[in-house]
């Protein structure tokens, strides 16, 4: 059966509102290689059609990969480890060799040392009971990293296929395109985007006679903010440029808003620094503690802007978390959005939509 070369969806010419649609006359002209209407719109207009990946049955994809016993390249987003690691990875693929790749290292400022992040990523996986002793920290943008990734794949492959697996938007397709580009000197053709659920089926990218990379749909994480946003805001949360840390020196009695997704109330402690690592497009705003509720009600749609009213509806209620910090630095992590590093000492109350996963960890930087 023919498939769209951008997203992998099986072709059909009858229903424009569902996956793999191509006009019959287009298909006739380009039978051997074509993009579906949805990919065409993403590639040329950066505008997806409202055709999602939510109803794909990931269990079928996982079962097929498990049965192959082939290498699984599990890609995570180094900026959102909590939101993008797959807790069940060992259960899904008990007999497959696994390579763990933390992508998007370029989102950190150039001053951040890769070795330090790598040690952090390994410890992170270990703590979750996942053996990732030889994980890689890379950027799809960096040629040398792509060469290192290829070498790592070759040294671990058990058969001809290597499957790229992970949550949506971590850069699986971008990495495959980059590997194809390096090996064949022609750009990869898989559609990539900052929208969730871009890849819709297995897509095979042959690299060499003995190695084929296979792209997969990403898992959509119900605890990640992006999942509840309209297309326009989904891509705002996916950064392409390095994330500019935003530093606030706060005294107890102040509140810091992370757009309209939530806020940190600094209840007690000593003057501390709060450094926000989140997409540059997200507004961050400081107010006084006693004004928090009123500020939120009044400014969620002008100053704070995201999420919009329909998105808030989907995100549901706020949940509250109590954290103490200091003297060690910690990160408050907000899945799909980023993290806030707290340096100093004190107690914070964090409020965030309950569907978004919030946690605390030792600081990554
Ligand atoms: N800054 C940065 N952005 C990246 C990198 N890799 C991918 N991206 C961006 O991340 C977004 C998602 O990339 P995709 O390759 O479509 O992600 P995917 O994992 O294939 O997503 P699904 O197909 O939905 O599972 C795109 O906007 C990419 O440009 C990277 O190394 N650095
Ligand atoms: Mg993809």
């Amino acid at each position: 059966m023919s498939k769209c070369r951008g997203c992998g969806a099986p072709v059909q010419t009858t229903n424009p509102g569902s996956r793999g649609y191509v006009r019959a006359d287009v298909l006739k002209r380009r039978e051997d290689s074509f993009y579906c209407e949805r990919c065409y719109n993403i590639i040329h207009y950066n505008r997806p059609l409202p055709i999602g990946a939510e109803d794909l049955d990931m269990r079928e994809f996982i079962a097929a990969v498990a049965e192959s016993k082939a290498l699984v390249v599990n890609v995570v987003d180094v900026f959102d480890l909590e939101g993008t690691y797959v807790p069940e990875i060992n259960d899904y693929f008990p007999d497959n060799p696994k390579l763990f790749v933390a992508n998007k290292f370029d989102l950190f400022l150039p001053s951040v040392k890769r070795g330090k992040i790598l040690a952090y990523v390994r410890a992170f996986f270990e703590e979750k009971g996942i053996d990732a002793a030889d994980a890689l920290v890379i950027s799809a943008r960096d040629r040398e990293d792509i060469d290192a990734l290829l070498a790592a794949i070759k040294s671990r492959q058990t058969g001809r296929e290597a499957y790229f697996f992970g949550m949506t938007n971590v850069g699986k397709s971008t990495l495959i395109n980059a590997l194809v580009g390096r090996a064949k000197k022609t750009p990869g053709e898989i559609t990539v985007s900052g929208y969730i659920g871009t890849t819709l089926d297995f897509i095979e990218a042959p690299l060499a006679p003995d190695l084929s990379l296979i792209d997969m749909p990403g898992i959509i994480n119900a605890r990640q903010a992006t999942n509840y946003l309209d297309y326009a805001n989904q891509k705002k949360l996916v950064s392409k440029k390095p994330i500019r840390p935003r530093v606030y020196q706060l005294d107890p009695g102040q509140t810091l808003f992370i757009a309209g997704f939530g806020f940190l109330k600094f209840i007690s402690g000593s003057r501390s620094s709060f450094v926000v690592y989140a997409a540059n497009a997200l507004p961050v705003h400081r107010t006084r503690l006693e004004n928090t509720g009123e500020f939120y009600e009044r400014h969620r749609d002008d100053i704070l802007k995201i999420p919009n009213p329909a998105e808030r509806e989907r995100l549901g209620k706020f949940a509250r978390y109590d954290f103490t910090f200091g003297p060690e630095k910690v990160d408050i992590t907000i899945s799909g959005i980023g993290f806030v590093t707290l340096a100093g000492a004190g107690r914070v109350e964090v409020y965030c939509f309950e569907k978004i996963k919030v946690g605390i960890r030792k600081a990554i930087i």
Side-chain angles (χ1 to χ4, degrees):
M1 185 184 356
S2 336
K3 294 171 125 200
C4 166
R5 65 179 176 180
C7 66
V11 63
Q12 49 97 5
T13 55
T14 49
N15 185 356
S18 69
R19 292 193 275 270
Y21 174 75
V22 188
R23 270 187 7 231
D25 57 312
V26 174
L27 187 63
K28 212 167 198 172
R29 275 183 279 127
R30 304 179 175 263
E31 208 149 355
D32 39 329
S33 183
F34 58 87
Y35 284 109
C36 70
E37 195 106 333
R38 174 178 180 266
C39 283
Y40 192 87
N41 271 274
I42 294 175
I43 296 166
H44 295 285
Y45 309 117
N46 193 6
R47 186 185 62 203
L49 303 175
I51 300 171
E54 303 78 27
D55 58 327
L56 289 177
D57 188 353
M58 281 310 293
R59 285 168 307 184
E60 280 178 22
F61 291 96
I62 290 167
V65 176
E67 196 178 342
S68 77
K69 299 193 175 42
L71 176 65
V72 170
V73 180
N74 178 203
V75 184
V76 300
D77 179 340
V78 74
F79 234 88
D80 186 16
L81 290 171
E82 277 76 9
T84 60
Y85 88 101
V86 180
E88 307 85 357
I89 188 97
N90 289 332
D91 302 332
Y92 287 162
F93 308 113
D95 303 320
N96 303 63
K98 292 175 260 314
L99 171 63
F100 293 88
V101 175
N103 188 34
K104 307 199 185 185
F105 179 59
D106 59 289
L107 293 183
F108 288 110
L109 292 178
S111 57
V112 173
K113 296 269 183 298
R114 189 193 303 241
K116 201 176 154 198
I117 302 298
L118 182 57
Y120 191 97
V121 168
R122 286 176 181 158
F124 173 86
F125 277 112
E126 193 180 339
E127 195 205 325
K128 309 287 181 201
I130 299 169
D131 177 14
D134 49 1
L136 298 178
V137 170
I138 65 168
S139 163
R141 308 271 164 87
D142 186 325
R143 284 186 188 192
E144 285 177 23
D145 286 4
I146 294 303
D147 292 344
L149 173 60
L150 180 60
I153 291 171
K154 282 186 170 161
S155 72
R156 288 170 187 76
Q157 75 185 103
T158 49
R160 213 171 70 87
E161 277 94 27
Y163 289 88
F164 278 57
F165 174 78
M167 297 285 183
T168 183
N169 266 345
V170 295
K172 299 178 294 297
S173 304
T174 307
L175 287 170
I176 293 181
N177 281 346
L179 286 157
V180 169
R182 290 290 283 160
K184 299 193 156 176
K185 314 286 178 232
T186 57
E189 317 185 308
I190 304 176
T191 306
V192 306
S193 83
Y195 308 111
I196 60 173
T198 304
T199 306
L200 297 176
D201 207 330
F202 287 126
I203 305 176
E204 180 169 358
L207 262 204
D210 63 343
L211 177 59
S212 253
L213 306 179
I214 307 205
D215 201 1
M216 297 176 66
I219 296 180
I220 293 176
N221 179 356
R223 304 286 319 269
Q224 206 177 10
T226 335
N227 194 25
Y228 299 91
L229 305 185
D230 297 338
Y231 287 130
N233 282 338
Q234 283 178 19
K235 66 178 179 190
K236 284 191 190 152
L237 291 200
V238 177
S239 300
K240 299 227 167 145
K241 299 215 181 84
I243 288 179
R244 187 167 37 81
R246 282 175 274 180
V247 184
Y248 293 83
Q249 300 298 335
L250 293 196
D251 290 310
Q254 293 187 304
T255 295
L256 199 60
F257 280 92
I258 313 300
F261 288 105
F263 44 86
L264 286 74
K265 285 174 144 182
F266 191 9
I267 303 296
S268 61
S270 54
R271 187 172 171 81
S272 299
S273 81
F274 286 52
V275 186
V276 180
Y277 293 86
N280 301 336
L282 284 189
V284 175
H285 194 84
R286 173 190 354 211
T287 67
R288 285 180 18 199
L289 204 61
E290 61 269 27
N291 296 343
T292 305
E294 193 197 330
F295 183 87
Y296 180 75
E297 291 298 323
R298 189 180 290 191
H299 292 299
R300 53 192 180 180
D301 291 317
D302 52 16
I303 295 174
L304 302 174
K305 282 203 190 93
I306 310 176
N308 65 35
E311 294 165 337
R312 286 199 297 269
E313 189 79 22
R314 294 195 285 271
L315 280 159
K317 293 197 302 261
F318 270 98
R320 175 185 139 178
Y321 307 83
D322 289 290
F323 297 119
T324 54
F325 66 99
E328 298 285 303
K329 282 198 292 183
V330 297
D331 294 334
I332 306 291
T333 58
I334 309 170
S335 273
I337 294 175
F339 55 91
V340 183
T341 303
L342 309 184
R347 187 167 82 77
V348 286
E349 286 174 5
V350 179
Y351 291 77
C352 186
F353 287 103
E354 64 181 1
K355 290 197 177 142
I356 302 175
K357 188 169 158 194
V358 171
I360 189 166
R361 67 182 189 190
K362 182 171 151 276
I364 191 167
I365 305 182

